[in-house]
Amino acid sequence: MANYYQPEIETASVEEIKALQSEKLVKQVKRVYENVKYYRDLMDEKGVTPDDIKGIEDLHKLPFLTKADLRNAYPYGLLGADLKDCVRIHSTSGTTGKRVIAFYTQKDIDLWDDCCARAIVAAGGTNEDICQIAYGYGLFTGGLGLHGGAHKVGCLTLPMSSGNTERQIEFMQDLNSTIICCTPSYAAYIGETLKEMGLSPDDINLKAGIFGAEPWTEEMRRDIEKSLGIKAYDIYGLTESTGPGVAFECEEQTGMHINEDHFLAEIIDPETGEVLPEGSKGELVFTNLDKEGFPLLRYRTRDICVLSRKPCSCGRTFIKMAKPMGRSDDMLIIRGVNVFPSQIETVLIKEGYSPNYLIEVDRVKNNDTLDVYVELSPEQFSDTVKDLHANEKSLADAMIQMLGIKPKVHLVAPKTIKRSEGKAVRVIDKRKLHD
């Protein structure tokens, strides 16, 4: 028997969902037009007024927002409420180091908590569960997002944050944690550590895990399920839209239900911007239907996926999104962190290196690795041999400041990075992200 956190909306008819979305969209467009000058200017430029939006069928008339708009409007240009009404920010890295900042009113936090509570209940969570949150806390949305959801469900919540893996396992054993929330790569690492400690899944009490913030395969899901003795559920979100809980998996594990009463999803052709029919593969676009602090309309996520309304055995009627199948931009997600080649380029130029570089990403024992090969100029090469390791370390430290994660930097001789006739190949991603 399926369990729901808010059954009246999670199992509403498609007609009811669409009517609610239309009603909310009309109000939200009016509010954004009146409160967000940046978006009002975009609408004026396109010749669209709030009166042109009568329902979701008119959504296509509105202009898109992109990561570039977020950078241009930083920090307050897309703020949709009075600052005194905002109670929190979260942040993620942007394309060239300019961070994306999202604002939340108390109502935004409450709705976000509800979305994460739905995900926990869909994974079998109740007020009798002990929920261990091993996502990072702080500016990253993972920790506080699932933390709020666990509170709403009434779980005993362990705000562990990530790291200190042996202590995580000790708490799992001592407190009998039943649900773990973290990135899939960290879940895999917990499984490996458990084994290294001479323990098995029988020595812990976990039944479910809610994993997101980075791409992972079905093969990795099976490995995690086996190593921790759990059922592993996917969760999707992005800071720009709110954080984890935009969409979540049910026991069917065939895609994630989008919380359609709060997020209106479209699939577009990434080249033309044309809206594609349901079932088409394209770029996912989200409109926040009731977010107050940071109300993005038609935000291009750059994630490539498919939407489906095929009936689900869990009884939820929310549309499902497939696991993202890649991106329409060059963003990499490494250990749950957004990394853009342009950020690495920014550091290289600032530190006096040539922008001839190659990024190599791999996954070793379920952990992402990031290697950056940087070509030296002939002058640097002759000066550098004796100081090579010191220079690699100082460049790696500069990159940590920009990226938030540590790469392994390799300074290489001039002309060793292969030149390309067309678009330079800057990234080699060796991870097997799709079965």
Side-chain angles (χ1 to χ4, degrees):
M1 174 65 191
N3 292 315
Y4 314 105
Y5 177 66
Q6 291 167 319
E8 66 294 340
I9 185 65
E10 292 179 61
T11 60
S13 71
V14 174
E15 293 70 31
E16 286 173 301
I17 291 168
K18 288 187 169 179
L20 178 65
Q21 287 180 325
S22 283
E23 185 189 322
K24 285 188 171 190
L25 179 68
V26 170
K27 283 184 188 157
Q28 185 73 319
V29 170
K30 187 171 185 297
R31 216 174 67 77
V32 169
Y33 190 82
E34 286 166 5
N35 292 293
V36 183
K37 181 184 183 300
Y38 189 96
Y39 200 76
R40 179 167 68 246
D41 290 347
L42 290 180
M43 283 178 66
D44 289 349
E45 205 177 299
K46 210 175 172 198
V48 191
T49 71
D51 293 340
D52 296 323
I53 310 300
K54 307 272 194 289
I56 55 174
E57 64 284 356
D58 296 320
L59 182 64
H60 68 278
K61 296 175 183 174
L62 292 168
F64 291 114
L65 280 170
T66 65
K67 205 91 171 191
D69 291 305
L70 271 52
R71 193 169 63 240
N72 297 340
Y74 174 91
Y76 292 125
L78 285 164
L79 180 66
D82 283 348
L83 208 51
K84 67 176 170 52
D85 294 326
C86 294
V87 296
R88 197 194 296 170
I89 69 152
H90 281 283
S91 176
T92 182
S93 65
T95 46
T96 53
K98 182 75 87 171
R99 299 191 71 85
V100 170
I101 289 183
F103 298 87
Y104 299 74
T105 64
Q106 188 55 53
K107 183 186 165 198
D108 294 337
I109 301 277
D110 290 341
L111 294 181
W112 181 20
D113 290 350
D114 283 346
C115 290
C116 288
R118 291 175 191 176
I120 291 168
V121 172
T126 70
N127 60 3
E128 293 182 5
D129 279 290
I130 296 169
C131 191
Q132 188 156 329
I133 315 285
Y135 281 110
Y137 279 66
L139 288 171
F140 177 61
T141 52
L144 284 163
L146 270 302
H147 179 105
H151 273 218
K152 280 267 174 108
V153 176
C155 304
L156 175 63
T157 307
L158 313 186
M160 301 289 292
S161 199
S162 52
N164 208 331
T165 309
E166 291 195 5
R167 189 179 67 185
Q168 300 269 5
I169 291 169
E170 190 184 305
F171 265 73
M172 275 175 202
Q173 289 187 292
D174 294 349
L175 293 168
N176 287 322
S177 308
T178 51
I179 298 172
I180 177 85
C181 304
C182 60
T183 62
S185 55
Y186 190 52
Y189 183 66
I190 293 172
E192 281 166 28
T193 309
L194 193 71
K195 195 175 177 183
E196 282 164 15
M197 290 167 72
L199 300 170
S200 79
D202 295 338
D203 295 306
I204 54 174
N205 203 35
L206 289 180
K207 64 177 186 183
I210 299 173
F211 308 128
E214 63 188 17
W216 53 309
T217 60
E218 287 303 312
E219 184 183 27
M220 194 169 173
R221 188 205 299 262
R222 289 189 290 274
D223 288 348
I224 293 169
E225 289 187 331
K226 195 174 163 193
S227 72
L228 294 176
I230 60 171
K231 188 158 180 172
Y233 295 82
D234 207 347
I235 190 167
Y236 175 89
L238 55 168
T239 303
E240 298 91 321
S241 276
T242 202
V246 171
F248 62 90
E249 219 169 26
C250 62
E251 66 264 24
E252 199 178 86
Q253 293 178 308
T254 56
M256 291 168 277
H257 291 284
I258 294 171
N259 282 308
E260 287 192 278
D261 50 334
H262 303 309
F263 307 99
L264 179 51
E266 306 167 86
I267 293 286
I268 63 164
D269 179 321
E271 299 298 320
T272 64
E274 179 199 354
V275 180
L276 299 175
E278 189 197 304
S280 308
K281 181 176 166 183
E283 183 184 335
L284 183 61
V285 174
F286 276 120
T287 293
N288 286 120
L289 288 171
D290 32 25
K291 190 132 190 259
E292 296 176 334
F294 201 61
L296 300 188
L297 303 181
R298 298 198 88 198
Y299 179 69
R300 294 184 60 162
T301 67
R302 301 294 180 184
D303 282 324
I304 300 293
C305 78
V306 174
L307 298 180
S308 165
R309 278 214 187 268
K310 192 177 156 210
C312 184
S313 60
C314 77
R316 286 179 184 79
T317 45
F318 288 156
I319 201 164
K320 268 187 183 174
M321 61 176 275
K323 253 184 194 303
M325 301 158 189
R327 304 208 22 107
S328 66
D329 64 3
D330 56 1
M331 187 178 91
L332 295 159
I333 301 177
I334 301 169
R335 301 199 286 275
V337 176
N338 300 349
V339 173
F340 292 90
S342 53
Q343 291 175 309
I344 287 171
E345 207 165 293
T346 303
V347 173
L348 293 179
I349 292 165
K350 195 172 165 195
E351 298 294 317
Y353 291 90
S354 85
N356 282 323
Y357 64 94
L358 183 68
I359 300 164
E360 205 170 85
V361 187
D362 206 347
R363 189 163 274 165
V364 180
K365 289 189 174 173
N366 285 319
N367 265 324
D368 290 340
T369 60
L370 172 59
D371 289 81
V372 182
Y373 296 85
V374 182
E375 205 175 88
L376 294 165
S377 66
E379 308 81 64
Q380 284 172 321
F381 190 58
S382 55
D383 293 346
T384 307
V385 180
K386 62 180 189 302
D387 302 319
L388 197 63
H389 290 307
N391 289 349
E392 285 174 341
K393 187 185 177 306
S394 94
L395 190 50
D397 289 344
M399 285 185 189
I400 293 173
Q401 294 295 316
M402 172 68 88
L403 306 173
I405 58 169
K406 187 174 186 175
K408 189 164 174 39
V409 171
H410 310 264
L411 294 174
V412 299
K415 303 279 185 280
T416 32
I417 292 176
K418 192 179 163 198
R419 299 295 190 268
S420 161
E421 306 247 320
K423 191 174 179 219
V425 177
R426 294 286 187 213
V427 179
I428 297 171
D429 194 340
K430 296 178 170 178
R431 295 174 295 183
K432 182 174 175 281
L433 295 175
H434 299 286
D435 298 331

